[in-house]
Amino acid sequence: MSMPVFLELVEIRTKLASLFPFTLGILFSVYYFSEFNAVNTILFFIAMLVFDMATTAINNTMDYVKAKNMHYKEHENILGKAGLSVKQATTLIVAMIGFSAIIGLTLVYRTNILLLVIGALCFAVGILYTFGPFPISRMPLGEVMSGLTMGFGIFFIAVFINVPSTLITALVLDWPSFMLSGSLQNIAAIFLASLPLVFTIANIMLSNNICDYETDITNHRYTLTFYIGKPLAIKLYAWLYYGAFAASTLAVFAGVNPIWMLGIWLVFPIVQKSIQLFKDKQDKATTFGLAIKNLVVYHGAQIVLYSLGVLFG
């Protein structure tokens, strides 16, 4: 398998969806908790990126296996276009998952055993997203699960591996007893700070499913758009972005985000213009990319504003 084929199989261009929650989680750790662990951060970055690539490869492989539309299977799916066998793709997927799992266990050893539970849940969602008899991506839960797993899950772990677990939550085992302790206030703060990520990442899948509405039906893929209808799905697309701005603003007044975060409203006209363009036309080739553009614009601005909070308080 050549490197260009591998990069297309794992859709390396889409990894921004995981890099932003990772980066923002690190910045939040430094701003809100004044904590940073370089070794844990590097290890988590590698594990996260490799596992994200594995889940994307699973998605492309399962789409190929389950496709009913032969034109899509032979000319649009990467396995069909590149002449890859399912066995080749599966071998690569298992290797990537195994590699990221080893690094994950190393992080568990360096932090708290609760990370094993959290990581296992994220692994399960990532694998079952497109694998199994009832893949999450083919159900109306896809947007919710992708938003929560990547937007909140990655953000939370990025904070967890940098901050002493006693400040967030920790699991203590003393056989046959165990004790779970933590700070509900700090967990709530982390969740509120992550909400914009939850919304914008969910919107990437939502916009993809809106654009693929007709093709998905021919492939027996019944997503949220199928159940609520295309008009309401387009309205939800806009509401999720508005929710992101509202969450960032609320986090400022709750003392979770720095005052600088109010500057996020400077990018509102750009996001609003993209929303309107998508409302006017839902097309995979021309307007799907607007969801990725909005993610880059919004969270790129957040990175700058968090950095200002770290530097100037």
Side-chain angles (χ1 to χ4, degrees), residues 35-42 110 161-163:
E35 297 283 353
F36 175 71
N37 186 305
V39 175
N40 287 355
T41 296
I42 294 170
R110 292 177 56 85
I161 54 105
N162 277 287
V163 178

Side-chain angles (χ1 to χ4, degrees), residues 279-313:
K279 282 183 175 180
D280 293 339
K281 183 180 182 181
Q282 304 86 49
D283 178 69
K284 194 68 171 285
T286 58
T287 58
F288 163 68
L290 293 171
I292 298 175
K293 176 186 174 182
N294 284 344
L295 180 136
V296 172
V297 168
Y298 191 97
H299 299 303
Q302 274 200 308
I303 288 173
V304 173
L305 297 169
Y306 264 126
S307 298
L308 290 173
V310 169
L311 292 173
F312 304 110

Side-chain angles (χ1 to χ4, degrees), residues 233-301:
I234 294 170
K235 288 182 180 179
L236 178 60
Y237 175 85
W239 295 339
L240 286 173
Y241 285 125
Y242 301 149
F245 282 96
S248 289
T249 304
L250 177 60
V252 171
F253 293 112
V256 173
N257 277 348
I259 189 70
W260 297 95
M261 194 56 67
L262 292 177
I264 198 65
W265 286 96
L266 293 173
V267 303
F268 182 81
I270 301 173
V271 175
Q272 180 59 35
K273 182 179 179 181
S274 294
I275 292 171
Q276 192 56 53
L277 288 171
F278 189 77
K279 282 183 175 180
D280 293 339
K281 183 180 182 181
Q282 304 86 49
D283 178 69
K284 194 68 171 285
T286 58
T287 58
F288 163 68
L290 293 171
I292 298 175
K293 176 186 174 182
N294 284 344
L295 180 136
V296 172
V297 168
Y298 191 97
H299 299 303

Side-chain angles (χ1 to χ4, degrees), residues 30 54 100 106 112 126 153 173 183 196 211 226 244 255 262 275 278 290 300:
V30 177
S100 56
T106 304
N112 182 265
L173 296 178
S183 168
C211 292
F226 173 82
L262 292 177
I275 292 171
F278 189 77
L290 293 171

Side-chain angles (χ1 to χ4, degrees), residues 5 32 42 46 58 111 118 145 177 229 233 241 250 265 295:
V5 171
Y32 191 79
I42 294 170
I46 296 170
I58 293 172
T111 56
I118 299 170
M145 297 306 292
S177 302
Y241 285 125
L250 177 60
W265 286 96
L295 180 136

